[in-house]
Amino acid sequence: MDKFVFRRYCLFVVSVFINAFGIAFITKALLGTSPITSVTYVLSMFTSYTMGQWTIALNLLFMLIDLLFMRPRELKDDLRMFLLQIPITLCFGTFIDVSMSALSWLHPAGYLYQLVSLAAGCFILAVGIGLEVKADIAMVAGEYMVRVISKRLRKEFGYVKLGLDVTLVLVSCVLSLVFMSGLYGVREGTVVAALVVGPIVRFLKPYYRVLDRWIGEGRTARPASVSAVKEERYPVVTIAREYGSGGHLLGELLAKRLGVSFYDKELIGLAAEESGLTRKYISENEQSMSPVWLKNIIFQNYESSLNLSLSSRDALFVAQSRVIRRIAAKGPCVIIGRCADFILKDYPGVIKVFCYSGADEAYARCLKEYGLPEETAAAEIKRVNQARVAHYEYYTERKWGDPHNYDLMINTGSMELSTACDLIERLYKNRLETV
């Protein structure tokens, strides 16, 4: 076994233990437990079996449910990942019992201390999930089942995950009411855990880069990889742009002047061929992500990497990344948006441009050139820019429009597009001499 693969497995085992410890910490706060363990916690309250033992039983049940949704060919193709659920399940359940025993001293007195314990548990659980995502080598049974169901029913991972969590909580409530004549094990802490763990995972994610070298990040080809394009000797221009800044028109003008290929809407068809998604879906969802915080918290998949996720938006991003890298490998070109500056960040010939303008200039261009109605233009500019910010920052973990991420920042509100084109062309020709 490759040493980096072995290290990823070791990291995954550590992450499973931390997840179990975090769940135990949340449970010991006595404000409810996480949704995924709510059923097992309630069952442990009125039976002779422990929470960990019930967790093993429930996760093995998840594996049986997987078989109902998987076709024989799918099971064969994913047999390693499927069979890994058995040792992972045994470890997870055992780790929960060990953690509950290790925390036997924890009895928070008073609501304030309970909240502190809950917060600490949520943080610990987020650390574990972040490490699990970083390992990118396996999945716990619950997440794997969501992945299988999502694929079979062609539903978003986030919606299926939410459905599973709600179902488990409802089953917990029913079990508690039937067997203990009251509502136990499900409280406000269950809701808090469901809402706050994901954002904490996302906050911590950049700090896990210290593990990149140890686990060989970038050494093996991975579907979502954005490592260096093979080193051809020609420039590729990427243009990120605010809505209403004329970035598309500037890109067209530049490509025509340089005599190179131009890609904007053309990427929709290429991404459709790569991903199997429809052109309509891609045109409606590319470069967008809801800026509404609650929707992002509930429906974004924080608990598995892009490689293992079945979110349609994630699949679209991966497909467009592959397309953009292939395009860059073919020859000089101009690419508009779609995080191309990040996807090609290690490509030696990339020229990264950010196009922006003042609010008044953007408004005027939207009226004159884009044909937007006066009463909706300002709102549309704000909406599109917010969506682009959310999309870019979610997938790149960089700040959209930060001048440190670009070679050239151009204010098209203070100059003609032909002048802006002159600036990029001069940079392009200088780059030709150096690459």
Side-chain angles (χ1 to χ4, degrees):
M1 180 186 295
D2 180 88
K3 68 175 182 179
F4 294 114
V5 174
F6 176 74
R7 289 175 180 177
R8 286 178 182 271
Y9 277 117
C10 291
L11 183 62
F12 183 82
V13 172
V14 170
S15 74
V16 172
F17 177 79
I18 296 176
N19 287 346
F21 193 76
I23 288 171
F25 222 103
I26 292 172
T27 305
K28 294 293 286 185
L30 299 179
L31 294 177
T33 188
S34 64
I36 196 66
T37 52
S38 57
V39 170
T40 60
Y41 179 47
V42 170
L43 286 169
S44 71
M45 297 176 74
F46 64 86
T47 68
S48 60
Y49 296 102
T50 66
M51 184 175 172
Q53 291 169 334
W54 278 116
T55 297
I56 292 173
L58 181 63
N59 284 359
L60 292 177
L61 175 62
F62 287 161
M63 290 186 66
L64 294 177
I65 294 174
D66 292 339
L67 295 176
L68 298 177
F69 285 90
M70 296 179 77
R71 297 181 176 90
R73 179 59 183 273
E74 293 172 335
L75 179 60
K76 181 180 178 181
D77 292 342
D78 208 30
L79 187 60
R80 180 193 67 85
M81 188 74 76
F82 177 78
L83 293 178
L84 275 175
Q85 306 310 302
I86 297 174
I88 291 171
T89 292
L90 295 176
C91 287
F92 189 41
T94 302
F95 289 162
I96 286 178
D97 281 345
V98 169
S99 299
M100 291 293 286
S101 177
L103 292 173
S104 58
W105 55 269
L106 182 60
H107 302 287
Y111 193 68
L112 176 61
Y113 290 106
Q114 288 179 302
L115 289 176
V116 171
S117 298
L118 173 64
C122 288
F123 182 83
I124 294 170
L125 179 58
V127 170
I129 291 175
L131 290 175
E132 178 188 333
V133 173
K134 191 66 179 178
D136 193 15
I137 200 72
M139 300 177 75
V140 294
E143 300 302 322
Y144 186 84
M145 186 181 72
V146 171
R147 176 175 179 254
V148 168
I149 295 175
S150 299
K151 184 176 182 180
R152 185 61 182 271
L153 300 183
R154 297 182 180 276
K155 300 295 183 180
E156 290 287 331
F157 185 102
Y159 287 98
V160 178
K161 177 67 165 62
L162 177 64
L164 175 63
D165 288 347
V166 171
T167 299
L168 291 175
V169 170
L170 290 177
V171 170
S172 303
C173 293
V174 171
L175 289 172
S176 179
L177 291 171
V178 171
F179 290 97
M180 293 184 288
S181 302
L183 196 58
Y184 301 97
V186 178
R187 287 185 53 181
E188 61 270 30
T190 304
V191 178
V192 171
L195 292 179
V196 307
V197 171
I200 297 174
V201 172
R202 177 146 183 81
F203 172 77
L204 294 174
K205 190 176 179 180
Y207 297 99
Y208 293 122
R209 291 173 185 165
V210 298
L211 297 170
D212 285 353
R213 180 175 297 181
W214 188 73
I215 62 174
E217 189 76 26
R219 289 176 177 265
T220 57
R222 312 186 75 81
S225 175
V226 290
S227 57
V229 183
K230 64 178 183 178
E231 297 191 9
E232 307 291 351
R233 296 297 174 182
Y234 45 74
V236 171
V237 180
T238 67
I239 300 179
R241 75 282 186 228
E242 290 183 346
Y243 190 62
S245 65
H248 174 91
L249 299 174
L250 174 60
E252 281 187 319
L253 179 62
L254 178 66
K256 184 176 181 180
R257 185 181 294 187
L258 297 176
V260 302
S261 300
F262 174 74
Y263 296 95
D264 188 357
K265 296 300 182 183
E266 295 80 2
L267 291 169
I268 293 177
L270 296 173
E273 295 174 5
E274 176 72 28
S275 66
L277 298 170
T278 65
R279 289 172 178 258
K280 180 180 180 182
Y281 178 86
I282 293 175
S283 63
E284 292 176 352
N285 292 278
E286 65 169 356
Q287 303 186 86
S288 68
M289 180 170 289
S290 172
V292 180
W293 69 272
L294 183 57
K295 183 178 179 182
N296 284 344
I297 287 173
I298 294 175
F299 295 116
Q300 285 181 22
N301 173 25
Y302 295 96
E303 300 185 28
S304 63
S305 70
L306 290 184
N307 288 341
L308 302 178
S309 171
L310 280 185
S311 162
S312 296
R313 280 196 173 92
D314 291 350
L316 174 55
F317 177 77
V318 171
Q320 286 189 329
S321 297
R322 289 171 173 162
V323 168
I324 287 170
R325 290 165 57 78
R326 283 204 300 269
I327 287 171
K330 290 180 179 179
C333 58
V334 177
I335 303 173
I336 303 297
R338 297 165 181 86
C339 305
D341 58 279
F342 175 77
I343 293 167
L344 300 176
K345 62 184 174 64
D346 296 323
Y347 177 54
V350 68
I351 298 172
K352 296 168 288 187
V353 178
F354 188 86
C355 188
Y356 68 99
S357 66
D360 293 340
E361 292 83 358
Y363 179 80
R365 178 173 274 117
C366 285
L367 296 182
K368 181 180 179 181
E369 299 178 10
Y370 301 175
L372 295 183
E374 293 184 12
E375 61 273 15
T376 62
E380 182 67 3
I381 292 171
K382 182 178 180 180
R383 183 193 69 80
V384 173
N385 282 336
Q386 284 181 336
R388 288 178 178 174
V389 168
H391 176 269
Y392 185 87
E393 295 185 356
Y394 175 74
Y395 285 111
T396 71
E397 297 176 2
R398 292 180 171 186
K399 186 172 178 60
W400 190 69
D402 184 344
H404 296 92
N405 296 330
Y406 305 93
D407 299 303
L408 186 62
M409 304 286 290
I410 296 180
N411 184 352
T412 54
S414 62
M415 67 181 75
E416 297 291 333
L417 291 184
S418 59
T419 303
C421 190
D422 292 339
L423 294 173
I424 305 175
E425 182 181 14
R426 184 180 303 175
L427 184 58
Y428 182 91
K429 291 179 177 178
N430 288 340
R431 189 63 58 87
L432 273 176
E433 299 174 358
T434 59
V435 295

